[in-house]
Amino acid sequence: MTYGNGSADPGRSGGATVTVVMPTYNEAANLPRIAELVLGQPVEGLELKIVDDSSPDGTGRIADELAEKYNADGRRRMSVLHRVEKDGLGRAYAAGMSAAVAEGAAYVVQMDADGSHPAEALPRMLAAARESGAGLVIGSRYVDGGSLDEEWGWHRKALSRFANGYARTILGTKQISDLTAGFTMWRSDVLAAVDVTSLDSAGYSFQVELKYKAVRGGCQVVEVPIRFEERTEGESKMSLGTQIESAMIPLRLRRRYR
């Protein structure tokens, strides 16, 4: 299967120009602030879609209240997809991204709810997508101008760079500087062709598998530099099991597509 580069700005089917898909689990403290930051960006037709996995801290209820507030003028700017169980970041993204494509979004963004991804980069990413016609724009930590928060210790920075380099080497995708990045903007036709619901990864390795499958199909990629911030509220969801899955998925992908 091959994904063409497409036009500079794909046609719309009555949906949003850009839908930001943001999975949440126990992000009650972060969500009001991050929703304001995202929806305050100067992007015409911007929509925020929260995918909440039945957070026990009430994140889903807060998301519904925020959606009511931001949609009060009759124009949908925020929507909430409630899932009944927590079964992995990748599956939450797949559900939200599939819904955004079905609703007619021209571009779909993957973005974390913890504040680590800078909302102010969204206009730059959209401009890059339109100017290049690329099917994927990555908010990259590892291109010139990109950076990690100084609060990250040297060991976390080293581990992050090692994991990224390991995945790039195993999969032969050295044309992408930040393969493990979680802040990405996809053209909707590329996502439809890849079929995100068919991917195996349940956790963070979803990011790698999705990029790898798209690149194998000929998807054009551009990267724009971002500063990756440290979480200010709540706790990281990176468990030992997730780290093990992330280490194994490049090997599984290489065997599958060899």
Side-chain angles (χ1 to χ4, degrees):
M1 185 181 298
T2 300
Y3 319 124
N5 291 337
S7 61
D9 195 11
R12 295 169 57 187
S13 302
T17 300
V18 178
T19 296
V20 175
V21 175
M22 184 176 290
T24 56
Y25 187 77
N26 287 350
E27 295 288 358
N30 277 320
L31 189 55
R33 179 180 63 88
I34 197 67
E36 182 178 10
L37 287 172
V38 169
L39 293 174
Q41 297 306 307
V43 175
E44 183 181 0
L46 179 64
E47 182 178 322
L48 174 62
K49 182 180 292 294
I50 301 299
V51 184
D52 187 66
D53 283 359
S54 298
S55 298
D57 72 344
T59 300
R61 173 185 54 78
I62 292 172
D64 286 333
E65 293 171 353
L66 289 169
E68 184 176 355
K69 167 188 169 183
Y70 285 112
N71 299 339
D73 62 358
R75 178 168 58 99
R76 192 171 91 163
R77 303 184 65 211
M78 183 172 175
S79 60
V80 186
L81 176 59
H82 293 278
R83 302 201 318 147
V84 297
E85 62 180 344
K86 185 177 186 292
D87 64 347
L89 179 70
R91 295 193 177 105
Y93 264 128
M97 296 166 83
S98 297
V101 171
E103 291 163 1
Y107 298 94
V108 181
V109 175
Q110 295 175 267
M111 186 173 183
D112 287 351
D114 60 7
S116 58
H117 298 150
E120 61 271 18
L122 289 170
R124 289 192 289 116
M125 294 171 74
L126 180 58
R130 285 174 162 166
E131 290 168 6
S132 66
L136 167 61
V137 178
I138 298 174
S140 179
R141 301 162 291 182
Y142 300 130
V143 291
D144 288 344
S147 63
L148 292 166
D149 194 304
E150 287 82 1
E151 291 188 20
W152 276 40
W154 69 266
H155 57 292
R156 288 184 66 191
K157 291 181 179 179
L159 180 61
S160 175
R161 287 189 176 275
F162 171 79
N164 185 62
Y166 163 79
R168 292 171 65 217
T169 300
I170 292 292
L171 296 175
T173 54
K174 292 190 176 181
Q175 71 270 38
I176 298 179
S177 297
D178 199 347
L179 187 63
T180 56
F183 189 25
T184 56
M185 178 177 288
W186 295 86
R187 226 177 48 226
S188 59
D189 63 303
V190 174
L191 290 178
V194 170
D195 183 11
V196 295
T197 61
S198 70
L199 303 187
D200 290 338
S201 302
Y204 286 82
S205 56
F206 176 84
Q207 313 286 8
V208 173
E209 184 175 3
L210 179 54
K211 294 186 192 72
Y212 179 64
K213 190 171 181 181
V215 169
R216 278 184 57 87
C219 176
Q220 179 186 350
V221 182
V222 297
E223 297 182 75
V224 299
I226 66 162
R227 173 183 165 82
F228 187 89
E229 300 286 352
E230 178 64 284
R231 166 190 284 274
T232 56
E233 300 285 349
E235 297 180 355
S236 172
K237 312 300 191 302
M238 182 67 80
S239 66
L240 177 60
T242 298
Q243 294 178 55
I244 293 173
E245 183 205 18
S246 297
M248 295 304 296
I249 195 68
L251 294 171
R252 293 208 306 266
L253 289 172
R254 189 173 70 172
R255 286 197 299 268
R256 182 185 311 157
Y257 292 103
R258 180 177 298 172

